[in-house]
Amino acid sequence: MASQPKAVARRASKNQPLRRAKNAGPIHPEANPRSSSALIFGLCFALALLTVGVYSQVARHPFINYDDDPYVTGNPHVRAGLTWETLTWASQAYEAGNWHPLTWLSHAADCELYGLNASGHHGTSLLIHCVNVVLLFLLLWRSTGATWKSLCVTALFAVHPLNVESVAWIAERKNVLSTMFFLLAIGPYGWYAQKPQVRRYVAVVLLFALGLASKPMVITLPFVLLLLDVWPLQRVRDWSAPSPAFPVRQESFSRLLLEKIPLLALSAASAVITIAAQGASVIPSHALPLQVRLETAIYSYSLYLWKMVWPVHLALIYPHPGRSLGVWRPLLGALLIVAVSGVAWRQRSKRRYIAVGWLWFLGTAVPIIGVIQVGLQVIADRYAYVPLIGVFVALVWGATSLADNLRLGAVPRAVAALAVVTALAFMTWTQLGYWRDSVTLWSHALEVTTNNSLAESYLANTLLRDGRYQEGMAHLRNYASLEPLDPEAHARVAADDEDRGQFADAAREYEAAIRASAELEKNGVPGLDPSTLAVTYVNLGLTYGKLGNVTQAADSTRKGLMTDRKAVLQMLQNLGEILSAHPTASGYVRLGMLLQAVGDADQARQAFARARRIDPAL
């Protein structure tokens, strides 16, 4: 048989698959699966090792006095471990202002394994963070095929100082746990995108439900999946060509939106449950008007971005500026949002990752940006855990594009990336040091913030608990000066002033406590209970008596008796028992004044006589 002409052979070869020479190297990672798998496994191991190395000191840290008590150390259900009663309670509990049964069970599992050994609890949180790091890398690598860019994004996520709070704070287990299910849900979503099937979609729904049962922060997952449809999956028909790295069938945008409805239904249900659970923690509109919240939300976006770029002066609590925010802060924040959004829009065709990363940041931060204000913070480092992933992607992919335009080689790129990651790792290690105990944590918060009443309060309580009375009272005074509507704090400061003989100051603080209680009641918030209010009135009366103001002393004592006579009589009995064991001249003077106030003149004279015998100078 005659051989084919060469031209015919060449034409025929165009319809045949390309064949590589026998000794040619791989032209694509997938061409050598064993080599590619070894590289990816090695990078995953390196990322996990980096994360553990940077965070290793948390194993020596104790529980702290902010939420660790209701979540673990002081929660009898959690401390009981994994029991049927704990499971039943966790499924129904609205404690700590959230419905998150999986978070409760994770803490209970730690108590089952480690008891109240804080090292074990920290180890679990760090392990989950490591899992999140590896998951993020695998998701980015698998969907984009960009190994080194995915590695850079993940390294930023692994060691950025803003993520310290989510990992080092045991009570914030809910953040790393919910993010794990958030990332796990994205995995089968890509599987579903390749071949839409009910069982694959069900896997996404179940993992999303587990994420919501850990923390409602992941409520924005349907929105995130829609962004991923745009890039890197490129599922939207007529918007772009199919992805060469992760080929999937393209659909119309309306079809992609429709398939998210079951997930959106879960989000809506979670929102309703969360609002019901948070209840009293939500700041009412009369305390923080909507206009102030919107201005603060705009400002908060810019704060998160600034702290991402310059992560110094990080604190557990950043006090809310309230109505003192001013005009220029939200204005600058708005200008920044508009400017970046403009860049993302202009690059929407050529560099979709900018728009997707930016919208990821804006969208996933909506639940915590302060429109519905829960608590007193303006921002919180832990809230940046998921949102900043989008910014990291936009920055790394954008920096790579710039390096391509500048024709930079591999060495300067690697040096720059290594320098950034090393600097962030060092800052994270330093930030972790502030978590070594509650006193250090709150002292640091006061050093880097101003007018931080919550930090003053927690530091005061910690110092008083540790027996450092004078230091604790100094911070309690600072707290009371910042919080005019905390009657209990003012009453405690007043008692300390009275003990130190500062009777004018004590009277002022007792009056502040009574006014604060009345103001709270006026706004529908419980003030001092009747017995405590009665004792406060009587203490004010006794203080006025020591100042020689007989009229006001009698009036205040009368109000105390009218408020709760039984409480005043109990106060008398308690003071008598204390003086029987530890008699003091000042104590008997106080007892005599109390007895005089309730109309027992004979007993009052006897008390004054006992005081004179102890201290004839009286």
Side-chain angles (χ1 to χ4, degrees):
M1 182 175 177
S3 60
Q4 293 185 29
K6 292 182 179 179
V8 175
R10 282 197 298 269
R11 284 196 298 270
S13 68
K14 293 180 181 180
N15 298 321
Q16 301 299 320
L18 286 172
R19 297 179 181 230
R20 292 187 296 115
K22 184 176 181 181
N23 297 321
I27 61 174
H28 187 275
E30 296 300 325
N32 192 336
R34 182 174 299 176
S35 173
S36 178
S37 298
L39 173 64
I40 298 305
F41 177 82
L43 293 177
C44 288
F45 181 77
L47 284 167
L49 195 63
L50 170 67
T51 307
V52 171
V54 171
Y55 278 91
S56 58
Q57 62 176 292
V58 296
R60 303 188 297 272
H61 293 177
F63 293 99
I64 65 166
N65 69 333
Y66 186 50
D67 279 0
D68 280 358
D69 180 64
Y71 270 88
V72 183
T73 56
N75 190 315
H77 302 285
V78 170
R79 292 177 61 174
L82 291 175
T83 65
W84 180 254
E85 289 76 15
T86 299
L87 176 61
T88 304
W89 168 82
S91 65
Q92 303 170 354
Y94 275 6
E95 293 189 25
N98 275 305
W99 180 81
H100 42 36
L102 274 187
T103 295
W104 291 124
L105 292 177
S106 76
H107 287 303
D110 278 359
C111 286
E112 185 79 31
L113 293 171
Y114 316 115
L116 293 182
N117 182 348
S119 295
H121 295 257
H122 281 300
T124 300
S125 293
L126 177 53
L127 175 62
I128 298 173
H129 180 53
C130 286
V131 171
N132 291 342
V133 168
V134 173
L135 282 173
L136 178 60
F137 171 69
L138 292 175
L139 288 170
L140 285 171
W141 165 74
R142 185 69 183 87
S143 60
T144 66
T147 303
W148 303 110
K149 285 183 277 190
S150 301
L151 180 68
C152 289
V153 169
T154 309
L156 292 176
F157 174 74
V159 302
H160 199 284
L162 278 178
N163 289 343
V164 165
E165 192 172 292
S166 296
V167 184
W169 186 10
I170 291 172
E172 201 49 36
R173 168 74 55 74
K174 54 185 178 286
N175 208 30
V176 291
L177 187 64
S178 63
T179 302
M180 183 181 74
F181 288 112
F182 175 88
L183 295 173
L184 284 171
I186 293 175
Y189 180 74
W191 184 44
Y192 165 81
Q194 285 186 316
K195 188 177 181 180
Q197 291 179 339
V198 172
R199 62 190 179 92
R200 299 185 179 196
Y201 192 88
V202 168
V204 179
V205 172
L206 289 178
L207 289 166
F208 182 37
L210 292 174
L212 293 172
S214 303
K215 185 182 180 180
M217 173 74 181
V218 297
I219 197 172
T220 56
L221 178 66
F223 165 76
V224 167
L225 297 181
L226 203 58
L227 287 179
L228 297 180
D229 287 337
V230 176
W231 184 91
L233 300 181
Q234 296 173 207
R235 294 184 68 201
V236 189
R237 185 188 303 142
D238 300 329
W239 284 26
S240 64
S243 168
F246 193 79
V248 296
R249 188 174 68 186
Q250 292 190 316
E251 305 281 358
S252 66
F253 184 78
S254 59
R255 169 70 176 79
L256 296 175
L257 188 61
L258 188 64
E259 74 179 13
K260 308 297 186 299
I261 288 179
L263 300 173
L264 290 169
L266 274 179
S267 296
S270 178
V272 171
I273 293 172
T274 301
I275 292 172
Q278 290 179 338
S281 300
V282 178
I283 306 300
S285 57
H286 64 78
L288 207 60
L290 180 60
Q291 178 184 345
V292 175
R293 298 176 194 223
L294 293 175
E295 292 172 352
T296 305
I298 295 171
Y299 172 56
S300 297
Y301 276 122
S302 62
L303 266 184
Y304 282 120
L305 292 173
W306 172 245
K307 288 191 175 294
M308 178 204 67
V309 175
W310 192 246
V312 298
H313 295 170
L314 304 182
L316 181 52
I317 292 292
Y318 302 97
H320 199 291
R323 300 169 191 262
S324 63
L325 186 64
V327 175
W328 67 270
R329 290 175 178 172
L331 179 60
L332 287 178
L335 290 174
L336 177 63
I337 291 173
V338 170
V340 179
S341 299
V343 171
W345 176 255
R346 293 188 62 180
Q347 298 292 325
R348 67 189 184 278
S349 297
K350 190 175 180 181
R351 297 179 178 89
R352 282 189 173 81
Y353 51 79
I354 296 178
V356 169
W358 179 241
L359 290 175
W360 175 304
F361 167 67
L362 293 179
T364 56
V366 166
I368 45 80
I369 209 64
V371 177
I372 298 178
Q373 182 69 35
V374 179
L376 302 173
Q377 71 284 338
V378 60
I379 63 170
D381 294 352
R382 60 191 178 274
Y383 293 161
Y385 193 70
V386 170
L388 286 187
I389 292 174
V391 184
F392 293 154
V393 168
L395 287 176
V396 169
W397 257 259
T400 303
S401 177
L402 178 61
D404 290 341
N405 292 336
L406 296 176
R407 298 182 179 178
L408 292 180
V411 172
R413 298 183 193 214
V415 169
L418 188 60
V420 171
V421 172
T422 301
L424 291 175
F426 175 78
M427 297 171 80
T428 291
W429 179 268
T430 303
Q431 183 64 23
L432 283 165
Y434 299 124
W435 287 78
R436 62 181 176 268
D437 57 62
S438 296
V439 171
T440 304
L441 182 63
W442 293 117
S443 298
H444 174 69
L446 290 175
E447 289 173 4
V448 300
T449 61
T450 56
N451 298 329
N452 198 332
S453 62
L454 200 61
E456 294 281 9
S457 172
Y458 276 94
L459 181 56
N461 290 336
T462 305
L463 292 169
L464 291 170
R465 181 201 62 195
D466 292 346
R468 298 161 65 176
Y469 183 79
Q470 294 302 328
E471 294 174 82
M473 285 308 304
H475 287 286
L476 188 62
R477 289 175 189 282
N478 293 340
Y479 168 75
S481 68
L482 294 169
E483 294 292 343
L485 293 182
D486 190 330
E488 294 179 355
H490 285 286
R492 189 166 186 182
V493 169
D496 182 65
D497 286 335
E498 190 178 356
D499 289 342
R500 294 186 300 111
Q502 305 292 328
F503 301 125
D505 293 337
R508 217 167 20 247
E509 289 296 333
Y510 279 130
E511 287 175 341
I514 293 168
R515 281 197 307 272
S517 181
E519 187 67 23
L520 290 175
E521 296 285 353
K522 179 181 176 182
N523 290 324
V525 180
L528 295 173
D529 62 81
S531 62
T532 305
L533 182 59
V535 170
T536 305
Y537 269 121
V538 171
N539 284 334
L540 176 60
L542 294 174
T543 305
Y544 276 132
K546 293 172 184 177
L547 289 170
N549 193 329
V550 178
T551 302
Q552 285 187 290
D555 182 60
S556 296
T557 307
R558 177 181 57 80
K559 288 179 180 177
L561 289 167
M562 290 175 60
T563 301
D564 192 336
R565 184 179 184 85
K566 184 178 178 180
V568 177
L569 295 177
Q570 183 64 49
M571 181 182 177
L572 261 173
Q573 181 181 338
N574 293 343
L575 182 57
E577 292 173 355
I578 292 171
L579 290 173
S580 297
H582 305 284
T584 63
S586 61
Y588 275 109
V589 169
R590 185 179 182 85
L591 180 63
M593 295 174 69
L594 268 174
L595 289 166
Q596 200 171 38
V598 298
D600 195 338
D602 291 339
Q603 292 291 328
R605 281 192 291 272
Q606 292 179 29
F608 290 140
R610 289 288 301 275
R612 280 195 297 271
R613 284 199 293 274
I614 296 172
D615 185 0
L618 291 173

